[in-house]
Amino acid sequence: MEGKEEDVNLGANKFSERQPLGTAAQDRDYTEPPPAPLFEASELSSWSFYRAGIAEFVATFLFLYVTILTVMGVKRSPSMCASVGIQGIAWAFGGMIFALVYCTAGISGGHINPAVTFGLLLARKLSLSRALFYIIMQCLGAICGAGVVKGFQKTPYQVLGGGANTVAPGYTKGDALGAEIVGTFVLVYTVFSATDAKRSARDSHVPLLAPLPIGFAVFLVHLATIPITGTSINPARSLGAAIIYNKDQAWDDHWIFWVGPFAGAALAALYHQVVIRAIPFRSKC
């Protein structure tokens, strides 16, 4: 028995856990980055600042182009079974976000969504000047993406709704607003978790895998809320389609697709910073 106990002790010392549990694991090799300044004048003279904005423009342009064409293809089909259906639309949105976040994360952070940018701004992950620039470029990219689709298929675009978000019959404005708030909360909470600097310091695979859970979150939210609002969770996506489609039904409830995503993003930022990370309660010493 004594020999066996010695073997156990030797094994425990030689093969210790790769990742210890508890606070020691959470704080290993990690320093909390300082909050981004509200305004950073030096950004405005940096090429990387404008390069990031261009990356957001191009990514949102491609996002609208592919997803609106997918929506139109489903609506054009005689039945859901004759097309990719709701599942295909959800995959188009989620898959494009996965691909585009992967491509642009190293340049701009891969936001591709004013709600994501807003949530990160509230968490002081980027400056106000950068956030405003990103949002403007995202909206311009969305407008151009929808515009190119209309340029290719002008008549079908108008007949098939142009991918514009509306409140579906049988649902109230409150239902739609709630769906957009919760859906955006899921997305932005996933973004915070997938890009958390503490997790990146602890687990080297986290930054590499970040686009996957973000894209998958978009996919799942679309499955749940396409029947209610067509799923926005992205004000730029709704604005681009509404401007190019430009019919009353696209504007009647357009406010929902700004208020809902921004409220959901704010709640996700608050939850992550206060509850998950407990940053306001940390000792300053």
Side-chain angles (χ1 to χ4, degrees):
M1 292 296 292
E2 291 181 359
K4 290 184 178 180
E5 289 179 0
E6 290 179 1
D7 291 343
V8 170
N9 291 332
L10 176 62
N13 294 328
K14 185 176 181 180
F15 302 105
S16 58
E17 291 181 272
R18 290 185 62 190
Q19 180 58 62
L21 302 177
T23 56
Q26 294 174 355
D27 296 330
R28 189 181 67 181
D29 299 326
Y30 173 76
T31 302
E32 187 72 38
L38 192 61
F39 179 75
E40 192 170 1
S42 60
E43 284 187 322
L44 303 181
S45 59
S46 169
W47 165 240
S48 64
F49 176 79
Y50 298 100
R51 183 183 67 158
I54 294 169
E56 288 292 311
F57 172 89
V58 172
T60 316
F61 169 88
L62 296 173
F63 179 62
L64 267 287
Y65 175 78
V66 170
T67 55
I68 289 180
L69 279 175
T70 304
V71 171
M72 288 173 55
V74 171
K75 288 191 173 183
R76 174 180 283 177
S77 300
S79 69
M80 286 289 182
C81 295
S83 67
V84 295
I86 288 179
Q87 294 88 346
I89 294 174
W91 275 120
F93 278 88
M96 281 302 291
I97 289 296
F98 167 68
L100 294 170
V101 169
Y102 177 83
C103 291
T104 60
I107 302 172
S108 66
H111 298 189
I112 321 169
N113 184 336
V116 172
T117 300
F118 180 65
L120 294 173
L121 171 65
L122 294 181
R124 302 293 302 276
K125 303 294 185 183
L126 72 165
S127 66
L128 177 61
S129 52
R130 183 175 289 266
L132 291 175
F133 184 49
Y134 277 15
I135 291 172
I136 291 170
M137 296 301 281
Q138 289 158 0
C139 290
L140 290 175
I143 293 167
C144 292
V148 169
V149 174
K150 183 177 180 179
F152 286 166
Q153 306 182 37
K154 185 171 184 179
T155 300
Y157 185 89
Q158 295 300 126
V159 171
L160 299 172
N165 290 111
T166 58
V167 179
Y171 293 96
T172 66
K173 290 178 172 56
D175 296 333
L177 181 62
E180 289 295 318
I181 291 173
V182 175
T184 311
F185 180 92
V186 172
L187 169 60
V188 178
Y189 177 39
T190 304
V191 170
F192 273 109
S193 297
T195 60
D196 194 310
K198 175 179 281 189
R199 294 187 66 197
S200 299
R202 189 173 72 234
D203 303 316
S204 60
H205 65 275
V206 169
L208 298 175
L209 295 179
L212 182 60
I214 295 171
F216 199 62
V218 172
F219 165 71
L220 293 174
V221 170
H222 275 75
L223 285 181
T225 58
I226 282 175
I228 305 173
T229 62
T231 309
S232 172
I233 63 172
N234 185 334
R237 172 258 187 275
S238 296
L239 179 67
I243 286 177
I244 301 301
Y245 183 55
N246 199 29
K247 289 191 176 180
D248 289 343
Q249 59 264 42
W251 294 112
D252 288 343
D253 303 310
H254 185 70
W255 64 272
I256 291 173
F257 307 113
W258 284 86
V259 175
F262 272 62
L267 290 172
L270 181 67
Y271 178 69
H272 185 267
Q273 296 294 95
V274 176
V275 178
I276 302 300
R277 297 294 308 280
I279 289 176
F281 307 106
R282 290 181 179 177
S283 172
K284 300 297 183 182
C285 61

